[in-house]
Amino acid sequence: MYRPAEDRGAMPPSFVVELAALLALGPLAAAAVSLVAAAAKRRVASGIAAVAATAAAVLVYQALGGTVAAFEWPIQALPIAGAVAAYCLVRVVIAQVLTPIVTRRPIPRAWQMTLLRDSPTYFVGAALAVTIVELIEAQLWPVLAVAAGPVFFAFRAYIDYLTHVEDSHRRREVIDALDHGIAVIDRKGRVTLWGDSVERLVGGSPARVVGQPLVSAVPALRGTVLAKEIDASLADAKARTVRVIMNRNGASRTLDVKIVPIADGATLLWHDLTERLRSEQALKRDTERLSLAADGANDGLWEWDLRTDELYVSRRWRRMLGLDPAGNTMRVNDWFTRLHPEDVTPLQEALKALEAAETEEIESEVRLSHEDGSYRVFLCRAVGGGSGRRRSRIAGSLTDITDRINDQERLRTVGFRDPLTGLRNRTDFLDVLGRRLAEYKRRTSGDGFAVLYLDLDRFKVINDSLGHLAGDELLIAVSRRLESCLRQDDALGRLGGDEFAVLLSTVGDQSQANVIAFRIQDALRAPIPVGGREVFTSASIGIAFGHRDYGSPDEIMRDADTAMYHAKSNGKARHELFDAEMHARARDRHDLENDLRHALKSGDFEVHYQPIVQLTTGMCVGFESLVRWTRNGKPVSPALFVPVLEELGVIDELGTWVLDTACHTFADWQRRYPQAGLNCITVNASSRQLTDQNFPFLVHEAVRKSGLRVSDLRIEVTETALMDNPQAAAQVLSELRDYGVKIYLDDFGTGCSSLSHLHKLPVDALKIDRSFVMSLLLPDRPAIVESILALAHTLKTSVVAEGIESEIQARELERLGCTHAQGYLFSRPLAPHAAEGVIASNQPLGPKAKELADRGEFRQPWADVEPVGVAAGPSAATLLSKAPTIS
């Protein structure tokens, strides 16, 4: 309902006149003016509010000692202020609290804010009234005449303001009265108008939504295509309508949102289709019922006159049997002769019972001969008619249900058959296996059984290279070959994808299962014609033997699956027998995966730092950051848990945390120990990170947040990780190098890359693998290290040697021109506080430290170092929660 602006708390212009009358002429004059103003109003509620507010102002004015005409300042200010406050309070309370209560409308939640917002306007009006009264009392008529013009224009401006407020609220109320909810967003996607009707549809109050991005302010719209379509409309300036299905308060709601681009954004028209769609669905159900009834009426209708033995049939009845639709009468025997011999007697008995009034109606399936020679199945319905103890007429219909019967048969078959290969599907195979297991457990003696779990090797390669149709053709061909390998009582099923299962219903010993497995491998070894070419495949097979300890067929399949994965991991194209040790390893692997996920979530990983020293001085110039994990109080080798993290697809999350922690810690050390000469911190990158286009951004953020100099960060990559996707890796590394990060090639010479790729990769330093460093101790060692150093010199790259464990290795590397090294000779990887001790001591490491010790000038790197009370960086849990998850 529309309410004038003064009902919403805005000061009415009559207030100035009423207050001036109170100050100049007294309470009676003010009351008279108020009554006249109330009588002039069209709305009773507004008039009552004006009279009540004036009465409250008069009472407060008199109670505070207010006088008429002759004012004593500043004493007179208090009664005037009190009168204005009383007028404003009563007016707002009546308009925004009492009136909604009487009219049974909700009370505005922010009516107190309305009072505070509009009170200054009343005091401005009061100042104007006081000025007018003072001018009249002082008989300053010229001044009053001069002021009349500005006052008039100010009055007109205020009237225009009230009109604008009324128009705005009128438009809003009109918008809320429309069937469509209306909202407006600007070109940045922020809401600028949010109608009450939209709030009722999708939630979100205007106070919370306006000024916010639409999807962020209304969580129920997340996951819908609305935001994408809005961006498209803003881009091409074309209107479009989007169907949005959202869940709100546990209920589903369907909306049509029309997006209409405007000059500075877009208007969204919301139309609730929920009830209409429900009505349409109900109408559809009713239509289906009527359609079914119409189909029944369109069936073959017939009537049998028992007195004349004539049979009336409809045109549809004759057409259903392939007869000439002309003619509508025939003999009953003509009908019965078309019945299938097995159906004649049952139908005759049912009709006799109906004729003798022993039953009210009959319904029976019968087979009738079609003119084309085939039998079709009909549902025959009939009711008796006529009075007396015997019926004189029987009428009914024939419904052709042949297609329905055939469909049911196909559905019954589909329920346990794989649609591509025609083999048993997983459900039916498990059902057969379950019955065999139950039979085996019931019997006290007899042959056992076994399950073979097969997974085709290299099927994904064939599927991706030749296409899915060729892959389907291969699966069909493999199915036929598998069938040729089995005995009569064995069962074969396709479990899904390229996985098959075989139930050997009887096996005397393990050798029989092995024979079948070898037979299958031999059958698959021959080339298979697919898509006009020959392809080769093999299978990894796991075998599990049935025993009475199994409680369900799923447990047998689980163990056969475990054995199959062992066969695949041991080289493929082979079979493995399941044993208890396999189950224990599978369970341990599952526990390890669970513990790793928990460690990621709770931040149980640590970063240790191994010093990188300058061989000529033995001084630590940097560190390699290495992730460490303690499981149940025992350290776990990264060689064990890192590959598992890679298989789980979460290695990039851990890598992001290590990167952030290492940068934060190293930058802190550089700030606190500027004389230590630290100039590099290396962080290892996985193959997933190297192919992640977002990885350079993560590096930028880690450097920015930590305050680290970008030139001090080194990203270590292995040859194997580079070769997984050389082009993508080279692009990511080039971006990092352009940013200023240096790239180290770790374990150089042990990977699968060739030298032809090396010059194409943006590499700043080669790290000599420890296996090559160890060869320096051999009497007839190969010149591998010298070759790597010469190659690095040619490519103008630096060299860092890893795994230095003896002084002889260090001296030989220094002689050959290697400048930097790391290894146990200098230091093991250290916890952050121990690494800080090395930095704080500012002493050489390794042989150089021994030389100083011989001269009595050396102390332990972390001796006399107080525990540093500075965090080595954010916890794993904190950073992993903030790190973006790359899918």
Side-chain angles (χ1 to χ4, degrees):
M1 180 182 291
Y2 168 71
R3 297 181 294 119
E6 58 188 70
D7 282 3
R8 291 185 291 270
M11 182 197 76
S14 61
F15 167 72
V16 178
V17 181
E18 294 168 0
L19 185 61
L22 173 63
L23 299 178
L25 304 176
L28 294 178
V33 173
S34 176
L35 290 173
V36 172
K41 296 182 181 295
R42 297 181 179 180
R43 300 179 72 254
V44 176
S46 297
I48 294 175
V51 173
T54 302
V58 169
L59 292 176
V60 172
Y61 185 74
Q62 290 179 332
L64 295 178
T67 61
V68 178
F71 300 147
E72 296 183 11
W73 301 103
I75 299 175
Q76 191 68 17
L78 179 60
I80 294 175
V84 174
Y87 188 98
C88 179
L89 176 62
V90 171
R91 192 66 179 261
V92 172
V93 167
I94 290 177
Q96 301 232 338
V97 179
L98 297 181
T99 299
I101 292 176
V102 173
T103 58
R104 297 182 179 179
R105 289 187 289 108
I107 299 175
R109 289 173 290 184
W111 69 270
Q112 300 95 333
M113 297 302 298
T114 302
L115 175 63
L116 295 176
R117 185 187 68 239
D118 294 331
S119 294
T121 310
Y122 281 90
F123 281 95
V124 172
L128 179 61
V130 170
T131 302
I132 293 173
V133 172
E134 286 285 13
L135 292 176
I136 293 175
E137 288 297 324
Q139 296 185 353
L140 298 176
W141 306 109
V143 176
L144 188 61
V146 172
V151 170
F152 173 76
F153 289 114
F155 176 77
R156 290 302 307 168
Y158 183 68
I159 292 298
D160 292 341
Y161 164 73
L162 290 183
T163 302
H164 174 71
V165 171
E166 291 178 8
D167 289 343
S168 297
H169 282 274
R170 185 182 297 112
R171 284 194 300 270
R172 186 174 185 85
E173 290 174 352
V174 169
I175 288 174
D176 293 338
L178 295 175
D179 291 338
H180 291 69
I182 296 181
V184 179
I185 62 172
D186 60 18
R187 300 201 68 84
K188 294 183 179 180
R190 294 189 295 260
V191 179
T192 59
L193 174 64
W194 192 254
D196 292 341
S197 55
V198 183
E199 178 183 0
R200 290 192 297 270
L201 290 176
V202 302
S205 63
R208 184 169 61 85
V209 175
V210 173
Q212 300 295 324
L214 177 59
V215 177
S216 299
V218 185
L221 295 176
R222 293 174 184 167
T224 67
V225 300
L226 181 58
K228 180 180 179 181
E229 295 297 328
I230 290 175
D231 293 340
S233 288
L234 293 176
D236 58 19
K238 293 182 180 179
R240 45 176 48 86
T241 300
V242 183
R243 178 68 54 86
V244 175
I245 300 176
M246 54 177 287
N247 291 315
R248 183 183 175 208
N249 299 327
S252 177
R253 185 178 293 275
T254 304
L255 306 171
D256 262 358
V257 183
K258 185 174 183 180
I259 307 169
V260 182
I262 55 178
D264 55 351
T267 299
L268 308 182
L269 303 177
W270 307 72
H271 184 50
D272 191 356
L273 302 178
T274 307
E275 294 302 326
R276 194 188 81 185
L277 291 178
R278 289 174 182 169
S279 300
E280 289 177 353
Q281 291 174 355
L283 179 60
K284 181 180 179 181
R285 288 193 294 269
D286 293 341
T287 302
E288 290 174 349
R289 295 190 190 101
L290 293 174
S291 177
L292 180 61
D295 290 341
N298 195 37
D299 286 344
L301 304 180
W302 57 272
E303 182 188 28
W304 181 14
D305 190 337
L306 297 173
R307 293 168 299 184
T308 63
D309 202 31
E310 287 186 343
L311 180 69
Y312 165 82
V313 294
S314 67
R315 295 170 60 86
R316 174 62 178 164
W317 192 99
R318 298 179 64 87
R319 191 179 293 113
M320 289 165 60
L321 293 176
L323 298 173
D324 186 354
N328 53 13
T329 59
M330 60 187 303
R331 307 299 296 179
V332 175
N333 286 337
D334 295 336
W335 177 16
F336 284 171
T337 55
R338 289 184 173 273
L339 282 171
H340 191 281
E342 297 177 359
D343 298 337
V344 174
T345 301
L347 182 59
Q348 287 178 339
E349 292 177 354
L351 291 174
K352 287 179 179 179
L354 189 61
E355 179 183 359
E358 296 175 359
T359 181
E360 294 296 326
E361 60 182 23
I362 62 171
E363 184 174 299
S364 177
E365 290 186 8
V366 296
R367 287 164 288 180
L368 292 172
S369 175
H370 194 273
E371 282 295 293
D372 60 9
S374 64
Y375 276 101
R376 300 190 65 84
V377 184
F378 295 88
L379 179 63
C380 178
R381 301 183 183 93
V383 295
S387 57
R389 301 180 64 177
R390 297 187 65 85
R391 270 56 181 281
S392 59
R393 293 177 181 275
I394 297 177
S397 64
L398 284 182
T399 304
D400 191 343
I401 59 172
T402 307
D403 292 339
R404 190 181 76 185
I405 296 297
N406 292 337
D407 290 342
Q408 289 176 348
E409 180 63 21
R410 282 194 294 270
L411 287 174
R412 188 184 66 84
T413 304
V414 168
F416 60 84
R417 290 293 173 182
D418 175 57
L420 176 65
T421 62
L423 302 179
R424 299 179 186 272
N425 60 18
R426 175 184 288 270
T427 302
D428 188 55
F429 184 85
L430 289 176
D431 183 59
V432 173
L433 178 58
R435 292 198 300 269
R436 181 66 181 94
L437 175 63
E439 177 190 2
Y440 180 71
K441 295 173 73 172
R442 284 196 305 268
R443 299 172 59 181
T444 58
S445 62
D447 292 336
F449 65 95
V451 171
L452 278 63
Y453 200 115
L454 292 81
D455 183 270
L456 297 184
D457 302 324
R458 300 180 62 254
F459 176 74
K460 186 177 185 303
V461 175
I462 298 173
N463 211 26
D464 292 344
S465 59
L466 301 182
H468 292 285
L469 292 179
D472 291 345
E473 188 177 346
L474 174 62
L475 291 174
I476 295 172
V478 168
S479 300
R480 303 292 81 83
R481 293 195 180 186
L482 292 177
E483 288 175 330
S484 67
C485 298
L486 303 183
R487 302 166 300 181
Q488 183 176 358
D489 295 333
D490 296 336
L492 172 63
R494 181 186 175 212
L495 305 180
D498 60 339
E499 295 181 340
F500 298 84
V502 175
L503 170 61
L504 303 180
S505 58
T506 56
V507 289
D509 52 38
Q510 293 185 358
S511 61
Q512 291 185 356
N514 284 326
V515 169
I516 298 296
F518 281 121
R519 187 185 302 168
I520 291 174
Q521 295 289 8
D522 289 339
L524 296 179
R525 190 170 291 115
I528 301 175
V530 171
R533 64 182 68 189
E534 291 185 342
V535 299
F536 294 85
T537 187
S538 59
S540 299
I541 305 174
I543 304 175
F545 292 91
H547 55 73
R548 290 177 174 81
D549 293 336
Y550 282 124
S552 68
D554 290 319
E555 295 178 1
I556 306 176
M557 297 296 292
R558 176 201 64 198
D559 291 347
D561 187 21
T562 301
M564 182 274 293
Y565 273 104
H566 276 270
K568 190 171 286 290
S569 62
N570 289 334
K572 303 179 181 179
R574 56 183 294 133
H575 64 271
E576 295 281 351
L577 302 180
F578 176 81
D579 56 31
E581 186 177 345
M582 279 187 189
H583 181 65
R585 289 198 297 268
R587 184 179 57 202
D588 290 343
R589 169 60 183 256
H590 181 263
D591 293 342
L592 177 62
E593 292 179 358
N594 286 343
D595 290 346
L596 282 171
R597 291 185 186 276
H598 178 74
L600 276 173
K601 184 177 181 181
S602 56
D604 292 341
F605 291 95
E606 297 178 350
V607 178
H608 286 198
Y609 302 88
Q610 185 172 33
I612 299 174
V613 303
Q614 189 172 9
L615 281 174
T616 56
T617 63
M619 295 298 296
C620 174
V621 296
F623 294 91
E624 178 180 1
S625 56
L626 301 166
V627 65
R628 293 293 183 263
W629 179 43
T630 301
R631 182 189 186 196
N632 299 327
K634 297 181 180 179
V636 182
S637 170
L640 176 62
F641 68 80
V642 168
V644 178
L645 290 172
E646 290 177 343
E647 291 182 22
L648 293 177
V650 294
I651 189 65
D652 49 351
E653 298 180 25
L654 181 62
T656 300
W657 173 76
V658 172
L659 174 66
D660 290 338
T661 302
C663 290
H664 178 94
T665 303
F666 191 74
D668 181 64
W669 286 341
Q670 285 183 317
R671 287 190 292 268
R672 297 172 56 228
Y673 302 101
Q675 304 303 323
L678 301 177
N679 59 23
C680 66
I681 178 71
T682 69
V683 180
N684 293 281
S686 67
S687 58
R688 283 177 59 92
Q689 289 173 299
L690 292 181
T691 57
D692 179 9
Q693 298 300 319
N694 198 42
F695 184 56
F697 170 76
L698 296 178
V699 174
H700 293 189
E701 287 297 292
V703 171
R704 181 183 63 81
K705 292 178 180 178
S706 64
L708 180 70
R709 292 192 300 268
V710 66
S711 59
D712 291 346
L713 177 61
R714 280 90 166 112
I715 298 296
E716 287 195 22
V717 297
T718 64
E719 290 183 82
T720 303
L722 285 174
M723 291 304 104
D724 284 348
N725 193 337
Q727 294 182 348
Q731 180 180 352
V732 170
L733 294 180
S734 296
E735 291 184 28
L736 291 174
R737 205 164 183 236
D738 293 341
Y739 177 56
V741 176
K742 291 186 168 131
I743 309 301
Y744 279 17
L745 185 57
D746 196 11
D747 300 337
F748 178 71
T750 63
C752 57
S753 67
S754 64
L755 295 178
S756 62
H757 291 287
L758 186 59
H759 74 280
K760 301 177 184 178
L761 298 172
V763 176
D764 296 285
L766 304 178
K767 297 193 75 172
I768 304 177
D769 185 70
R770 63 182 301 132
S771 61
F772 299 146
V773 172
M774 291 177 62
S775 69
L776 295 174
L777 301 176
L778 300 176
D780 298 325
R781 62 181 177 85
I784 297 178
V785 176
E786 291 91 333
S787 300
I788 294 176
L789 290 169
L791 177 63
H793 178 73
T794 303
L795 297 176
K796 298 181 181 180
T797 61
S798 302
V799 176
V800 179
E802 293 184 300
I804 312 301
E805 297 183 358
S806 72
E807 188 174 347
I808 296 175
Q809 293 171 336
R811 286 200 305 268
E812 184 66 10
L813 286 168
E814 184 178 355
R815 185 188 69 80
L816 293 174
C818 182
T819 56
H820 293 82
Q822 62 186 91
Y824 287 178
L825 177 65
F826 308 104
S827 173
R828 293 176 176 269
L830 304 173
H833 70 278
E836 185 171 350
V838 171
I839 300 170
S841 68
N842 200 23
Q843 295 286 329
L845 301 175
K848 304 298 181 183
K850 182 179 178 182
E851 294 174 7
L852 290 181
D854 292 340
R855 297 198 301 266
E857 302 174 4
F858 178 76
R859 60 189 179 89
Q860 288 294 332
W862 41 87
D864 305 325
V865 177
E866 294 292 334
V868 180
V870 177
S875 69
T878 302
L879 280 175
L880 284 176
S881 65
K882 296 179 179 179
T885 301
I886 308 302
S887 59

